[in-house]
């Protein structure tokens, strides 16, 4: 196996790194109050990042999940808020539109996503149901050539400014998983209300979204029944891209910690000369590289839909690794690490979201355990799962 990036991948990473240094890092503190990082997205759109999930025929580059993860990793090294904003344009919602939406919607929306002009939001979590998709209460009723949605979604990123909402919904009241589908709701639709209600540790706002007899054309109901399997297949990309951001945040924290060890002195010498500090960054490096290997392997297991067990394992490890590494980076910085002025505190607050979104670590542990207990052939061991 060759873990080196090819020339094209390296050039793309280098281009994102240049924007990171020139634009993202100098302005990272600006977004802690929930301001949308529009100028960052414009800069990233200029080098093609915003169109990575958009097929070429609609103005994007149609990059694979691995290349997309590389870009998010690099962005995460500078700014959690920007990384999450980009995730919304290169992740699940764009892939649902490009896979399931009618041609008219694709041509109206996807070129604007690629250019950074259109903002997408995905509405999944409800006040009484998060991971439990089959028990969503939001319902969309088919009424001739239109559909009418009612219900409430919560903890939704950027719904108050989004041009299009990708909404997981029950269809015609059909109970259970068989009744789950997906409707696209356009900005300004009658009966749509979105309020930026919850300010997060990471800096961005999450919204509560209410649909009250919200009317859309029939073609906007892009999945009508038995949608859980299709929606979850598209959602698997989130289990690669979410941990890619966590990996980037951890990398950024490690790099800042090493810089601080070189610059800070105590007892007449740089603190990087003390064994306790050196061991900290050594352990952080081992954690980061172990996470990178697992994540990259999962990303290469399928494009665009990676092996679910490997993706779950990568997400579990990267989420928890990110918490460990960013926490240790704060410890290396001492009291300064607890302040907003030092990036490591922002990294720590941002990475904490990783294990909550895209499937909690508890849910994903159940997924991994089920694959092992129910499917592993004891005669062949792990190789019998077909992942190696």
């Amino acid at each position: 196996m060759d873990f080196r990036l090819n020339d094209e991948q390296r050039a793309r990473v280098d281009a994102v790194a240049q924007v990171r240094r020139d634009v993202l890092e100098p302005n990272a503190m600006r977004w802690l109050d929930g301001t949308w990082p529009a100028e960052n997205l414009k800069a990233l759109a200029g080098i093609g990042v915003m169109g990575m999930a958009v097929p070429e025929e609609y103005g994007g580059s149609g990059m694979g999940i691995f290349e997309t993860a590389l870009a998010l990793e690099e962005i995460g090294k500078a700014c959690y808020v920007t990384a999450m904003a980009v995730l919304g344009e290169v992740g699940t919602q764009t892939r649902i539109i490009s896979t399931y939406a009618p041609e008219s919607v694709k041509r109206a929306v996807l070129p604007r996503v690629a250019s950074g002009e259109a903002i997408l939001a995905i509405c999944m979590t409800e006040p009484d149901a998060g991971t439990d998709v089959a028990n969503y209460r939001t319902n969309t009723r088919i009424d001739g050539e239109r559909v009418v949605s009612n219900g409430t979604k919560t903890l939704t990123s950027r719904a108050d400014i989004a041009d299009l909402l990708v909404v997981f919904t029950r269809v015609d009241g059909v109970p259970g998983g068989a009744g789950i589908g997906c409707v696209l709701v356009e900005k300004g639709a009658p009966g749509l209300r979105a309020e930026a209600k919850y300010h997060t540790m990471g800096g961005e706002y999450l919204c509560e979204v209410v649909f009250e007899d919200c009317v859309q054309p029939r073609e906007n109901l892009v999945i009508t029944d038995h949608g859980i399997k299709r929606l979850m297949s598209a959602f698997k990309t989130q289990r690669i891209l979410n941990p890619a951001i966590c990996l980037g945040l951890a990398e950024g924290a490690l790099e800042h910690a090493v810089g601080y060890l070189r610059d800070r002195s105590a007892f007449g010498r740089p603190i990087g000369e003390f064994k306790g500090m050196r061991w900290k960054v050594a352990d952080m490096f081992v954690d980061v590289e172990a996470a990178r290997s697992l994540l990259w392997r999962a990303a290469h297991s399928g494009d665009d839909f990676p092996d679910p067990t490997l993706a779950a394992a990568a997400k579990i490890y990267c989420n928890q690794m990110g918490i460990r590494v960013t926490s240790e980076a704060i410890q290396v910085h001492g009291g300064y690490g607890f302040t907003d002025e030092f990036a490591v505190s922002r990294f720590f607050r941002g990475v904490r979201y990783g294990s909550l979104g895209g499937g909690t670590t508890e849910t994903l542990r159940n997924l991994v355990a089920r694959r092992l207990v129910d499917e592993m052939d004891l005669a062949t061991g792990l190789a019998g799962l077909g992942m190696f």
Side-chain angles (χ1 to χ4, degrees):
M1 292 182 289
D2 187 352
F3 287 91
R4 294 172 296 180
L5 302 182
N6 62 39
D7 291 343
E8 181 180 355
Q9 292 166 337
R10 173 51 59 192
R12 288 182 176 275
V13 170
D14 289 346
V16 179
Q18 191 65 52
V19 173
R20 170 177 62 82
R21 291 188 293 267
D22 294 345
V23 180
L24 307 188
E25 288 178 345
N27 299 303
M29 285 187 61
R30 287 180 54 191
W31 321 116
L32 294 181
D33 65 354
T35 302
W36 179 252
E39 63 190 62
N40 288 0
L41 301 192
K42 182 177 180 180
L44 291 165
I47 59 171
V49 168
M50 306 306 290
M52 295 187 80
V54 175
E56 292 183 9
E57 60 264 38
Y58 303 107
S61 56
M63 287 289 103
I65 192 71
F66 177 62
E67 286 76 14
T68 307
L70 290 176
L72 284 172
E73 178 185 334
E74 195 64 32
I75 295 165
K77 290 171 67 174
C79 181
Y80 162 80
V81 174
T82 301
M84 291 299 292
V86 172
L87 176 61
E89 309 304 297
V90 302
T92 302
Q93 44 264 58
T94 298
R95 296 173 192 274
I96 286 175
I97 293 170
S98 65
T99 303
Y100 301 117
E103 188 65 22
S104 59
V105 173
K106 292 179 184 179
R107 296 207 173 275
V109 174
L110 293 178
R112 297 180 62 226
V113 172
S115 66
E117 298 174 24
I119 300 171
L120 305 178
I122 188 164
C123 299
M124 296 181 61
T125 301
E126 297 187 355
D128 297 315
T131 303
D132 190 8
V133 177
N135 282 317
Y136 281 170
R137 296 181 180 179
T138 297
N139 182 67
T140 297
R141 173 173 52 88
I142 300 174
D143 182 15
E145 293 304 310
R146 65 177 196 165
V147 293
V148 184
S149 300
N150 285 279
T152 301
K153 297 291 185 177
T154 193
L155 301 179
T156 302
S157 299
R158 60 188 158 270
D160 56 327
I161 61 173
D163 297 281
L164 190 71
L165 307 181
V166 179
V167 185
F168 284 30
T169 178
R170 192 166 302 288
V171 179
D172 276 343
V174 176
I180 299 300
C182 180
V183 64
L184 308 180
V185 178
E186 299 173 14
K187 183 178 183 179
L192 168 65
R193 290 190 291 109
E195 176 189 0
K197 190 172 183 180
Y198 304 103
H199 186 250
T200 71
M201 290 171 60
E204 81 273 48
Y205 272 97
L206 300 179
C207 302
E208 184 167 275
V209 186
V210 178
F211 306 96
E212 295 179 337
D213 292 330
C214 182
V215 178
Q216 292 293 283
R218 174 67 175 80
E219 69 174 2
N220 280 28
L221 187 62
V222 297
I223 299 175
T224 57
D225 57 15
H226 291 88
I228 284 185
K229 183 175 182 179
R230 283 175 285 181
L231 293 170
M232 289 297 102
S233 292
F235 199 67
K236 286 175 189 174
T237 61
Q238 217 80 346
R239 293 177 180 169
I240 296 295
L241 303 183
N242 167 305
I245 295 174
C246 292
L247 176 59
L249 290 164
E251 284 184 73
L254 172 57
E255 291 175 7
H256 279 269
V258 171
Y260 193 77
L261 291 186
R262 293 177 180 175
D263 295 339
R264 175 72 169 175
S265 293
F267 304 102
R269 54 183 174 145
I271 62 173
E273 294 183 8
F274 293 95
K275 182 182 293 185
M277 293 293 103
R278 296 172 79 91
W279 283 14
K280 282 186 182 297
V281 294
D283 287 343
M284 291 160 69
F285 173 78
V286 171
D287 238 354
V288 164
E289 288 303 316
R292 187 197 312 281
S293 296
L294 184 54
L295 178 62
W296 285 18
R297 170 159 169 70
H300 277 294
S301 67
D303 218 351
D304 284 328
F305 305 119
D307 180 272
T309 308
L310 287 176
K315 186 177 183 301
I316 292 167
Y317 192 83
C318 289
N319 290 165
Q320 298 189 328
M321 174 280 303
I323 294 171
R324 291 193 298 270
V325 169
T326 55
S327 179
E328 282 292 80
I330 290 175
Q331 194 70 21
V332 167
H333 281 72
Y336 287 117
F338 196 59
T339 68
D340 283 341
E341 282 69 25
F342 282 72
V344 289
S345 72
R346 301 195 303 273
F347 294 155
F348 178 75
R349 295 200 302 274
V351 82
R352 191 60 187 84
Y353 172 76
S355 63
L356 304 173
T360 65
T361 50
E362 292 79 11
T363 297
L364 296 182
R365 280 194 171 95
N366 286 334
L367 187 156
V368 173
R370 185 166 59 248
R371 183 87 184 271
L372 293 173
V373 174
D374 296 346
E375 298 181 27
M376 188 176 76
D377 185 337
L378 295 180
T380 56
L382 292 177
L385 292 175
M387 298 185 299
F388 297 90

